Amino acid sequence: MSDADSTSRHRAPLGLLPKLVLFHFVTLLVFTTWAFGGQAPWVRQGIALWGTVGVGLFVAACWQRGKSAGERAWPALRYLWPLWLYDVLVLVSCFNPGFQEVVVAGERSLVMGDPNPWLPSAALPLLAAKELWVLNVLVLSGFNLFLVLTRRSLVRTVLFIMAANAVVLAVFGTFQKLAGAKGLWFGLVPSPNARYFSTFIYHNHWGAFVVLSTAVCLGLLFHALRRGGQRDIWHSPVLLGAVVTLLLAASVPLSASRSCTVLIGLLLLGALTHFLLRLVRRRRERRASALVPVASLILAALLAAAAIAWLGRGAIAQRLHQTTTQLAPGAREATFASRLTLYRDTWTMAAQKPWFGWGLESYARVFRIYNTQRAAELWVWIPFYAEAHNDWLQSLAETGFVGTGLLVILGLLPLLAIPWWRVDSVLPRYLLAGCGILLLYAWVEFPFANPAVVLTFCASFYCALRYAALDLRAPEEASR
C-alpha cells in the first residue's frame, strides 16, 4: 500500500506485513517491559531471539517500500546508514580484542592485550557482539513502525497500546508498593536492587520509562482535545485520559526516583501551561472570561499534586531525608565530589582512545583501571561501577567520538528531513519532547542501559516522525 492511499476516504484493508509488524512490536514491548524491563540475562536472550523476527520484517518492509512508485531511495539507506557504519565499527572491534583472558591462581582475569592501534578494539568481543545485536533489534523494531504505518490512526493505535501497557504496569507497581512487597512480582522474585518499582529492577529506569509514556499520553490527550466532536470536555475521553495520565505520573514519586519526579513534574507543568494558553485563546475568541475555568484548572492541578504527594508520602519522606543528609555540610562535598570524580575518570578513560573507544559494553571491565575513588574503613576498598551514570560519557568511552557521532547522526537525519513548521499536529511534538527530556537525563543517569526504555524511545521517536510525515501528506485530515 502506498502512502497516497492513506488520504482516501475508503481505505484499503491493512495488509499482512503491517499486521505482522504490529504484532511483533506489541509482543516485544509487553515481554520486555513485564520481564524486569529487559534487565535479566535470560530476558536479553529472549529479546535477541524474538527481535530476529523483527529484522526479517524489516527486510520485507524495505523491499516493499523499494518497489513503491515514487520512492527515490529506500528509507533504510537514507536514514539508517549511520547504524550500518556503527555496526561495522563494532564488528571490526570484535576481531581486534583489546584484552586477553588468563587464568591466575585458578581464577579467570583480563589483562591488557596488544590490539592493532589503528582499528577499533573490544575488551570482550562476544559481549560486544551480543549487545550490538540487541541494540539493532530494538532500533529496527521501532523503525519498522516508520516503514509500515500508512495511516495516522494506525500510529495512534500503537501509541495507545504503549500508553495502556505503561498504565497497567503503573497500577501493578502501585499495588505492589502499597502492599509492602519485599521483591518483584509481589515478592515472588528477589530484586537485586532495593529501589525497584513494578517489574523494573531500578527505579530510575522506571522513571525514564514513565517520562516517555507520559509524553505519549499527553500527545494523545491533546489530539483528542483538538479533534473534538463531543458536547464538552466533560463528555469526552479527555477527562478520563487526564486522570489515567496522572495515575501513571504518580507512580514516579511513589518509586522514589527523585530526578524523574522533577522531570515528570516539568513535563506536566509544560502540558498544563499549554492547555491553559489554549483555553485562554479559545475564551478570548468567544469574547468570554477565562478567569473561572483557569482558576478551576489550577486548583484541580494543585489538588492532584497533593493527592500524588499523599499517595507517595512514605517514599517521598524517605528520599527527602536522604537528600537532606546528602546536602548537609560535609556530606554535600563528598556527594558531589564522588559523582564529579566518576565523570572525570570516565572522561580520562575516553580520552585514552578518543576515536573508537574501548569497545561496546567494555565500561565495567576497563573503568577499573581509571577509577581513582577510594573509601577507607577497616580496609581500603575500591567502589565498583558497572555504569558511568552518564550515557553520553559512557558512549564516548566505549565507542569513541566516531561511534557516538554516528548514533547522533542516526537521530538527526530523519528529524531534519521533516519541515516541522508545516506540521500541524501537536502529537509528534509531545513524543519528541519526551525523547528530548530523556536525552538530557542521560547526562546524569544511564536510562539507555535499559532495553525497555530503549525500545519505548525508538518507538516514540519513529512514530513521531511517521505521524508528522503523514500529517504533511494529508492536511485535509489533520484535525481528525
Side-chain angles (χ1 to χ4, degrees):
M1 184 192 299
S2 67
D3 291 333
D5 296 334
S6 65
T7 61
S8 64
R9 184 172 296 276
H10 302 288
R11 298 186 178 100
L14 195 62
L16 177 61
L17 182 59
K19 291 180 180 178
L20 291 176
V21 168
L22 291 175
F23 174 78
H24 175 265
F25 170 76
V26 171
T27 52
L28 182 62
L29 176 71
V30 172
F31 172 71
T32 305
T33 53
W34 284 88
F36 314 114
Q39 286 296 88
W42 67 269
V43 181
R44 284 181 174 265
Q45 294 176 3
I47 294 171
L49 290 174
W50 185 233
T52 304
V53 177
V55 176
L57 294 173
F58 165 75
V59 174
C62 286
W63 179 75
Q64 186 181 73
R65 287 288 294 261
K67 295 194 308 177
S68 300
E71 288 283 352
R72 292 173 296 176
W74 287 6
L77 296 179
R78 293 204 306 270
Y79 300 138
L80 291 185
W81 61 263
L83 180 63
W84 310 140
L85 292 181
Y86 186 87
D87 290 344
V88 171
L89 185 153
V90 177
L91 289 175
V92 169
S93 73
C94 292
F95 293 95
N96 188 34
F99 287 76
Q100 295 179 354
E101 192 176 52
V102 298
V103 178
V104 179
E107 295 186 1
R108 296 183 180 274
S109 303
L110 290 177
V111 298
M112 193 80 73
D114 186 25
N116 188 319
W118 302 103
L119 296 176
S121 62
L124 295 174
L126 181 60
L127 192 61
K130 289 181 178 178
E131 188 66 18
L132 179 67
W133 184 248
V134 171
L135 174 65
N136 274 264
V137 300
L138 293 176
V139 173
L140 295 182
S141 295
F143 192 79
N144 284 344
L145 301 174
F146 178 84
L147 288 176
V148 307
L149 297 181
T150 56
R151 300 195 293 266
R152 285 169 297 172
S153 59
L154 291 177
V155 180
R156 293 195 297 270
T157 299
V158 172
L159 296 174
F160 180 81
I161 294 173
M162 292 170 58
N165 179 64
V167 170
V168 175
L169 280 165
V171 172
F172 176 84
T174 299
F175 279 111
Q176 180 178 260
K177 185 77 172 183
L178 296 179
K182 302 301 181 181
L184 298 162
W185 289 94
F186 283 91
L188 295 177
V189 181
S191 175
N193 193 312
R195 294 194 180 96
Y196 59 89
F197 190 84
S198 189
T199 59
F200 282 60
I201 295 174
Y202 186 42
H203 65 311
N204 281 339
H205 286 162
W206 168 257
F209 172 73
V210 172
V211 167
L212 291 171
S213 301
T214 302
V216 172
C217 291
L218 291 173
L220 292 173
L221 278 177
F222 277 97
H223 168 78
L225 187 66
R226 182 179 182 184
R227 182 176 182 178
Q230 295 81 24
R231 186 169 60 187
D232 52 42
I233 193 173
W234 307 104
H235 297 83
S236 73
V238 175
L239 185 61
L240 177 60
V243 173
V244 171
T245 302
L246 288 176
L247 178 64
L248 174 62
S251 66
V252 178
L254 191 61
S255 71
S257 175
R258 294 174 295 184
S259 53
C260 288
T261 297
V262 175
L263 294 178
I264 205 76
L266 293 175
L267 181 60
L268 292 176
L269 181 61
L272 177 61
T273 303
H274 177 200
F275 182 75
L276 290 176
L277 292 175
R278 181 183 183 277
L279 177 63
V280 170
R281 185 174 64 253
R282 293 294 177 88
R283 298 289 290 185
R284 286 180 175 176
E285 290 174 354
R286 299 174 183 175
R287 299 183 181 278
S289 174
L291 180 60
V292 174
V294 167
S296 301
L297 282 172
I298 293 176
L299 178 60
L302 292 175
L303 291 175
I308 293 174
W310 181 84
L311 181 65
R313 61 191 182 280
I316 293 174
Q318 180 185 7
R319 296 298 276 170
L320 281 176
H321 174 72
Q322 182 179 2
T323 302
T324 303
T325 303
Q326 291 176 341
L327 295 179
R332 177 174 59 249
E333 289 75 10
T335 300
F336 288 104
S338 176
R339 182 58 66 92
L340 291 176
T341 301
L342 173 62
Y343 293 164
R344 184 192 63 216
D345 292 343
T346 302
W347 173 251
T348 302
M349 172 183 166
Q352 291 296 312
K353 292 191 174 184
W355 292 109
F356 304 115
W358 293 85
L360 188 63
E361 204 62 15
S362 64
Y363 184 83
R365 281 80 183 173
V366 178
F367 182 69
R368 300 178 184 182
I369 303 172
Y370 297 93
N371 187 5
T372 62
Q373 296 190 57
R374 300 293 184 272
E377 294 180 358
L378 297 178
W379 55 82
V380 176
W381 60 276
I382 303 175
F384 172 75
Y385 290 98
E387 308 287 345
H389 291 265
N390 185 318
D391 279 337
W392 291 95
L393 280 178
Q394 184 166 334
S395 179
L396 289 175
E398 291 187 343
T399 59
F401 282 93
V402 174
T404 304
L406 288 172
L407 293 180
V408 172
I409 296 172
L410 177 65
L412 288 179
L413 275 179
L415 189 65
L416 297 179
I418 294 177
W420 289 98
W421 62 91
R422 293 172 48 201
V423 176
D424 191 51
S425 175
V426 74
L427 175 56
R429 290 181 168 86
Y430 268 96
L431 298 178
L432 292 179
C435 294
I437 290 174
L438 203 68
L439 289 172
L440 292 175
Y441 185 51
W443 280 103
V444 295
E445 262 296 343
F446 52 104
F448 292 102
N450 182 274
V453 174
V454 175
L455 179 61
T456 306
F457 178 91
C458 293
S460 298
F461 181 74
Y462 286 117
C463 279
L465 299 177
R466 189 57 178 159
Y467 200 92
L470 292 172
D471 194 66
L472 291 171
R473 297 186 184 189
E476 67 275 10
E477 296 184 359
S479 61
R480 295 188 181 183

